Amino acid sequence: ALATVLDCWSPVDGAHQELDEISLLTAITVFILSTSPEVTAVPCLQNRCIEKFKAALESKDSVVQMKTCQLLHSIFQYPKPAISYPYIYSLASSIVEKLQEMDRRRPGDAAELQLCQEGIKLLEALVTVADEEHRAQLVACLLPILISFLLDENALGSATSVTRSLHDFALQTLMQIGPRYSSVFKNVMASSPALKARLEAAVKGNQESVRVDPSSKQAKNLGRNSSIQLKTSFL
């Protein structure tokens, strides 16, 4: 049945292409997560599935890329390594490259913002499932990406809603990761004064936004938590 789905992969032109691609990827994911590994881990089928996900990650459509990240999140966290690891090994670098590309070309609309957020969540999932040997390396890869999305006090004042939302999301993620992997975080900060300075500037900007608009619940929480985490875990 999985081979049949793969054989039917023939996206059509126009508005239906996005729906067809996402629907087929969803069907493949259901097979991967619900069918015996004796079927889905067969190399020829597994390689074909991986190629479909890789192609979707390279799509020019942000929605297709975002949905692909969501589907891969489930596969990456699948408890049987024979299923999850080939996808992780084959596609993790594509996720990192996609996020690094977004650092150079910031998200311009809500769809690109959501794609970036889903990519970050996917990389977080990789950190969680990685063995101890590779976890520190993944955290050290994720931290600069997150910090690159932060805005300082001056940039926050003129930020669009999309870039501000990305800033808030990245800062919240950093506050969650910092205490969990404090030794890696401290090592990254110690080895890169530029990253440390950017993080400090972002936190200062957030605290300033609290001062300017203390009625903002989101700003208040971010400002308070940022200060606490910087004192106890980050620096």
Side-chain angles (χ1 to χ4, degrees):
L2 178 56
T4 301
V5 173
L6 290 167
D7 290 339
C8 290
W9 197 284
S10 55
V12 297
D13 294 331
H16 296 293
Q17 181 170 350
E18 173 192 312
L19 176 62
D20 286 352
E21 195 164 8
I22 293 172
S23 297
L24 287 167
L25 284 172
T26 302
I28 289 174
T29 303
V30 171
F31 273 109
I32 292 170
L33 300 180
S34 62
T35 307
S36 168
E38 282 73 16
V39 175
T40 54
V42 173
C44 62
L45 288 177
Q46 193 170 65
N47 290 338
R48 290 180 67 188
C49 291
I50 289 171
E51 286 304 313
K52 298 305 181 185
F53 279 102
K54 184 177 293 185
L57 287 173
E58 296 172 357
S59 168
K60 295 181 179 180
D61 191 313
S62 298
V63 175
V64 171
Q65 294 181 55
M66 181 267 294
K67 293 291 186 181
T68 303
C69 287
Q70 290 178 335
L71 293 170
L72 284 174
H73 195 279
S74 299
I75 296 174
F76 283 8
Q77 292 186 310
Y78 192 71
K80 295 182 179 179
I83 297 297
S84 60
Y85 279 17
Y87 290 87
I88 292 172
Y89 291 145
S90 300
L91 300 173
S93 60
S94 296
I95 304 300
V96 172
E97 290 171 5
K98 183 64 61 179
L99 290 172
Q100 290 173 336
E101 177 186 332
M102 289 184 174
D103 171 31
R104 296 187 293 270
R105 183 187 61 80
R106 294 303 178 92
D109 55 34
E112 291 182 349
L113 169 64
Q114 191 172 3
L115 167 59
C116 190
Q117 291 172 331
E118 292 299 333
I120 290 171
K121 291 177 185 177
L122 190 53
L123 204 49
E124 277 191 277
L126 277 178
V127 171
T128 302
V129 302
D131 54 41
E132 199 64 35
E133 179 184 356
H134 298 103
R135 184 171 293 135
Q137 182 180 355
L138 284 169
V139 173
C141 177
L142 176 59
L143 292 178
I145 291 173
L146 290 172
I147 293 174
S148 73
F149 294 135
L150 299 179
L151 304 173
D152 62 19
E153 181 180 349
N154 295 327
L156 276 172
S158 58
T160 65
S161 60
V162 170
T163 54
R164 177 59 196 251
S165 294
L166 181 56
H167 163 89
D168 290 341
F169 184 84
L171 188 55
Q172 287 175 329
T173 304
L174 282 164
M175 288 189 290
Q176 294 167 2
I177 290 176
R180 206 178 305 159
Y181 309 106
S182 58
S183 61
V184 180
F185 199 105
K186 290 175 182 177
N187 288 338
V188 171
M189 294 298 100
S191 64
S192 179
L195 287 178
K196 181 178 179 180
R198 182 160 188 160
L199 175 58
E200 289 176 329
V203 172
K204 180 181 178 182
N206 241 79
Q207 292 170 336
E208 179 63 17
S209 70
V210 174
R211 188 188 68 79
V212 172
D213 185 13
S215 64
S216 170
K217 182 177 179 180
Q218 182 184 32
K220 188 180 297 183
N221 288 338
L222 279 170
R224 181 175 63 249
N225 291 340
S226 299
S227 177
I228 292 172
Q229 296 294 354
L230 279 170
K231 289 178 181 177
T232 60
S233 301
F234 287 177
L235 302 177

